[in-house]
C-alpha cells in the first residue's frame, strides 16, 4: 500500500515539474520578491525585532507554501475532474485517497523546494545567520502550515468549474498575501487592514513562521494554531461536500 502512495506521489511531482505554468511561477514568484525586497534593503534594517532579510524569510516562505498548495490542488484537481480523470481513478483498483494524498504531498514537496531556495538566498546573500535548529523549526512550521491551504485548494478543486478554478485561486491567493502582511510586514499596513488580517489564515501562518524566528508578533502559538485548525476543518468539510456532489452527479 505504501508503494502505491509513493508511486502516485512521485509521478504527481513529475507532472507538476513538467508544467512550466506551475513550476516556474511557484518557484520564481517568492524567490524574485525576496530578491527585490529582502536582499535590497540595508543589512541594518530591522522589523519585529529581527533583520528585514530574516523577517521576510518567514513571510515569503508562507507565500510560497500557499502558492504551491493552492494552485496544485485548486487548479489541478478541477482540471482533472473536468477531464474525467477522477472517474478513471475511481474505476481503478488504486485507493481513492491515494490520488488526493499524492497531490497534497507533491504540492508540499514543491513548497519545500521554494523554502530551500529562499533559505539559501537568505544565508548566502542576505547575511541571515541562525542556528540549524531555528532553520529547521521555521521550515517545519511552514510545511505543517500547508494543511489548511491544501484543504482549501482541494475544496476549490472539487467545487469550482475547471475553467474558473485558476481565476478563483488567484482571487484568493493574491489578496490574501497582501492583506495578511506577507508581501509587506503587517506593521507597514494601514490600521483597517491590520484589523482584517486576523481573520485570514495566511496571516496566522505568517505569524507562526515569525514566532519560530523569535520575532515580535501579535498573539501566541496556541491562538494561531487554533485558528488554522478551525480553517482546516472548515475547508476539509467543503472539500468533502464537493466530493459528495461529484459522486452524486456521476452515479446518482
Amino acid at each position: 500500500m505504501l508503494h502505491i502512495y509513493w508511486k502516485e506521489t512521485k509521478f504527481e511531482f513529475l507532472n507538476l515539474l513538467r508544467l512550466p505554468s506551475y513550476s516556474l511561477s511557484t518557484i520564481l514568484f517568492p524567490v524574485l520578491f525576496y530578491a527585490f525586497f529582502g536582499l535590497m534593503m540595508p543589512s541594518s534594517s530591522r522589523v519585529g525585532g529581527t533583520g528585514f532579510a530574516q523577517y521576510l524569510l518567514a513571510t515569503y516562505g508562507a507565500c510560497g507554501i500557499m502558492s504551491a498548495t493552492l494552485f496544485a490542488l485548486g487548479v489541478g484537481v478541477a482540471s482533472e475532474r473536468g477531464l474525467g480523470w477522477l472517474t478513471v481513478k475511481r474505476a481503478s483498483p488504486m485507493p481513492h485517497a491515494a490520488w488526493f494524498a499524492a497531490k497534497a504531498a507533491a504540492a508540499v514537496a514543491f513548497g519545500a523546494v521554494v523554502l530551500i531556495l529562499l533559505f539559501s538566498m537568505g544565508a548566502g546573500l542576505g547575511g541571515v545567520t541562525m542556528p540549524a535548529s531555528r532553520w529547521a523549526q521555521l521550515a517545519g512550521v511552514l510545511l505543517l502550515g500547508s494543511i489548511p491551504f491544501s484543504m482549501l485548494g482541494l475544496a476549490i478543486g472539487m467545487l469550482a468549474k475547471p475553467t474558473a478554478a485558476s481565476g478563483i485561486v488567484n482571487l484568493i491567493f493574491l489578496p490574501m498575501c497582501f492583506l495578511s502582511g506577507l508581501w509587506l510586514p503587517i506593521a507597514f499596513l494601514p490600521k483597517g487592514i491590520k484589523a482584517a488580517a486576523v481573520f485570514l489564515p495566511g496571516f496566522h501562518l505568517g505569524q507562526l513562521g515569525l514566532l519560530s524566528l523569535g520575532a515580535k508578533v501579535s498573539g501566541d502559538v496556541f491562538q494561531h494554531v487554533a485558528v488554522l485548525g478551525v480553517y482546516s476543518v472548515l475547508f476539509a468539510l467543503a472539500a468533502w461536500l464537493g466530493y459528495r456532489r461529484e459522486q452524486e452527479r456521476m452515479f446518482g
Side-chain angles (χ1 to χ4, degrees):
M1 188 66 69
L2 289 176
H3 183 68
I4 294 174
Y5 277 80
W6 160 247
K7 296 290 283 187
E8 188 72 11
T9 301
K10 173 185 175 181
F11 291 120
E12 181 61 32
F13 182 84
L14 291 175
N15 178 50
L16 293 175
L17 185 64
R18 291 166 180 167
L19 290 173
S21 59
Y22 172 83
S23 57
L24 291 180
S25 61
T26 298
I27 292 173
L28 292 179
F29 182 81
V31 168
L32 290 179
F33 263 68
Y34 185 75
F36 288 142
F37 296 104
L39 302 182
M40 297 299 180
M41 296 293 290
S43 58
S44 58
S45 300
R46 298 183 69 81
V47 58
T50 67
F52 204 77
Q54 185 178 16
Y55 184 100
L56 291 183
L57 280 178
T59 57
Y60 285 162
C63 270
I65 291 294
M66 290 165 55
S67 174
T69 51
L70 287 175
F71 283 95
L73 286 156
V75 180
V77 170
S79 298
E80 292 186 11
R81 197 184 92 242
L83 292 171
W85 193 237
L86 181 57
T87 306
V88 173
K89 290 290 187 179
R90 278 189 56 85
S92 73
M94 185 186 75
H96 300 160
W99 185 59
F100 300 108
K103 285 193 169 297
V108 172
F110 251 95
V113 172
V114 173
L115 293 184
I116 291 171
L117 292 174
L118 287 176
F119 289 2
S120 299
M121 292 175 66
L125 302 176
V128 178
T129 56
M130 295 189 293
S133 59
R134 181 151 287 185
W135 288 103
Q137 184 178 3
L138 175 58
V141 165
L142 294 177
L143 291 174
L144 285 174
S146 67
I147 294 174
F149 302 99
S150 295
M151 295 297 102
L152 175 57
L154 184 57
I156 295 171
M158 296 306 303
L159 293 169
K161 293 182 179 179
T163 54
S166 179
I168 292 173
V169 170
N170 276 302
L171 285 174
I172 293 174
F173 168 68
L174 296 176
M176 187 186 298
C177 281
F178 175 74
L179 297 175
S180 297
L182 300 181
W183 285 353
L184 293 175
I186 193 72
F188 296 176
L189 300 179
K191 290 183 178 180
I193 294 179
K194 291 179 184 178
V198 298
F199 298 102
L200 300 173
F203 168 79
H204 295 280
L205 177 58
Q207 296 297 290
L208 284 174
L210 291 170
L211 277 171
S212 70
L213 295 177
K216 298 176 182 177
V217 301
S218 61
D220 55 31
V221 172
F222 175 78
Q223 291 173 331
H224 298 305
V225 170
V227 172
L228 290 177
V230 170
Y231 272 115
S232 297
V233 172
L234 293 176
F235 294 149
L237 177 60
W240 180 79
L241 291 174
Y243 180 75
R244 292 293 300 170
R245 188 188 70 173
E246 187 72 10
Q247 295 299 100
E248 292 175 0
R249 184 185 68 81
M250 288 191 295
F251 304 108

